[in-house]
Every structure is written in C-alpha cells, then in structure tokens.
Amino acid sequence: MLVDTGGQLAFKAAATADPRAGSGLARWAFMARRPWLWIGVGCYVAEFLVWLAFLSLVPLSDGVLLGSINIVAVMVAGRFLFREKLSRMRVAGILLVSAGVAVVGLHG
C-alpha cells in the first residue's frame, strides 16, 4: 500500500501543472526531467516486487481487499498534499471502502 500510494502521489506531483511545462511534447519532456516521475516509476517497480511477494503469502481475495484501502490513502493524501476537494460523496466512498475492508477482514 505504501509504495502504491507513494507512486500515485509522485505521478500526481510530476503531472501537476507548471507554467514552465509548455504543451504537447514539450510538456512530456518537462515531466520526464522532473524527479517525481522517476520516483513514481521506482515506486511502481517496488510495488510489483512487493505485491508478488505478498501474494505468495496470502490468498488473492485477501490481498486485493487489503490493496483496496490504497484508494482511501490516495484520496486522503491528495486532499492534504494537493488540496483536492473531498465532496460528501467521496467522503462517503472513503467510509464505505474502509467499512467494507473492515467487515470482510473481521470475517475473513
């Protein structure tokens, strides 16, 4: 969950609008020079390795369930780091995902 969340946040930081970025291919070149993009790629490579190791230890249904809490972590971090709005519906979604993970986790 940590490396996936870190990857999502790093990609968001890399893609965040910057007046120096320009448009089109120049924007992509600008993003490629930003360390955040490569931190995100590194997080995703690490996530791949950690996910494979994790799935060797737990059933797939448990692993995917635990992985879904990542949605909550990304939304909350997006709120604090990027000042993204959390509407009532999004907060309701966060609560439902958290409750679903807890319910299945308690009975799993």
Side-chain angles (χ1 to χ4, degrees):
M1 181 181 97
L2 290 176
V3 287
D4 187 62
T5 300
Q8 294 284 349
L9 296 173
F11 285 140
K12 176 63 178 173
T16 298
D18 188 315
R20 299 171 292 166
S23 62
L25 189 57
R27 181 175 175 79
W28 284 98
F30 180 82
M31 284 191 296
R33 290 189 303 269
R34 297 184 84 179
W36 289 115
L37 178 69
W38 302 107
I39 291 170
V41 170
C43 284
Y44 271 41
V45 170
E47 179 189 5
F48 171 74
L49 297 172
V50 170
W51 185 247
L52 282 178
F54 184 63
L55 288 180
S56 71
L57 301 173
V58 300
L60 179 60
S61 59
D62 290 349
V64 169
L65 179 68
L66 290 171
S68 66
I69 201 71
N70 181 52
I71 297 167
V72 173
V74 169
M75 290 177 74
V76 171
R79 170 70 180 106
F80 290 107
L81 295 177
F82 302 107
R83 300 176 191 217
E84 294 182 347
K85 292 184 178 181
L86 287 179
S87 66
R88 288 183 183 174
M89 292 301 289
R90 288 183 185 211
V91 171
I94 287 171
L95 295 174
L96 288 171
V97 168
S98 299
V101 170
V103 166
V104 174
L106 290 174
H107 296 289

